Amino acid sequence: MAITYTFKVNKIEVAPSLDGLENVVTRVRYDYIGIDEEGNEATFAGATPMPAPDAENYKPLEQLVESDVISWLEATADKEHMQYRIEKEISEKVS
């Protein structure tokens, strides 16, 4: 079963100040959505803590775009677990 997965960012939690930086993203709440080729859909609601920022590559909240946050989720969220749960839910719907 081929499933296409996408992140939808719902909320960004921010520390006003952290390690000398301002408006640092500390956690992201999101939906991880899977849709199969027949249009069957399942969603995993997740929250992932973000690693401490690197001062050299730091972007304050005001400069972030959704693709920045999604790239962090791609790198840090447990996609294997979420995909397993989504695949199981879709399988249960179609059987």
Side-chain angles (χ1 to χ4, degrees), residues 5-91:
Y5 298 96
T6 55
F7 280 103
K8 177 183 173 239
V9 176
N10 296 326
K11 182 178 181 183
I12 296 174
E13 297 177 15
V14 177
S17 179
L18 182 66
D19 297 331
L21 303 172
E22 294 183 4
N23 295 327
V24 178
V25 175
T26 57
R27 180 184 315 269
V28 178
R29 296 186 184 278
Y30 56 88
D31 290 333
Y32 192 57
I33 304 160
I35 302 173
D36 72 6
E37 62 273 356
E38 302 296 322
N40 298 300
E41 181 177 321
T43 301
F44 183 97
T48 297
M50 293 293 106
D54 171 5
E56 291 182 16
N57 299 315
Y58 169 72
K59 259 188 173 177
L61 178 65
E62 301 79 28
Q63 295 176 12
L64 291 175
V65 294
E66 186 175 32
S67 61
D68 293 325
V69 178
I70 289 173
S71 70
W72 296 344
L73 290 171
E74 290 281 354
T76 59
D78 185 356
K79 292 191 309 181
E80 184 177 323
H81 171 72
M82 294 186 298
Q83 289 174 0
Y84 168 78
R85 298 275 306 271
I86 288 170
E87 185 176 327
K88 183 177 176 186
E89 186 176 331
I90 289 175
S91 292

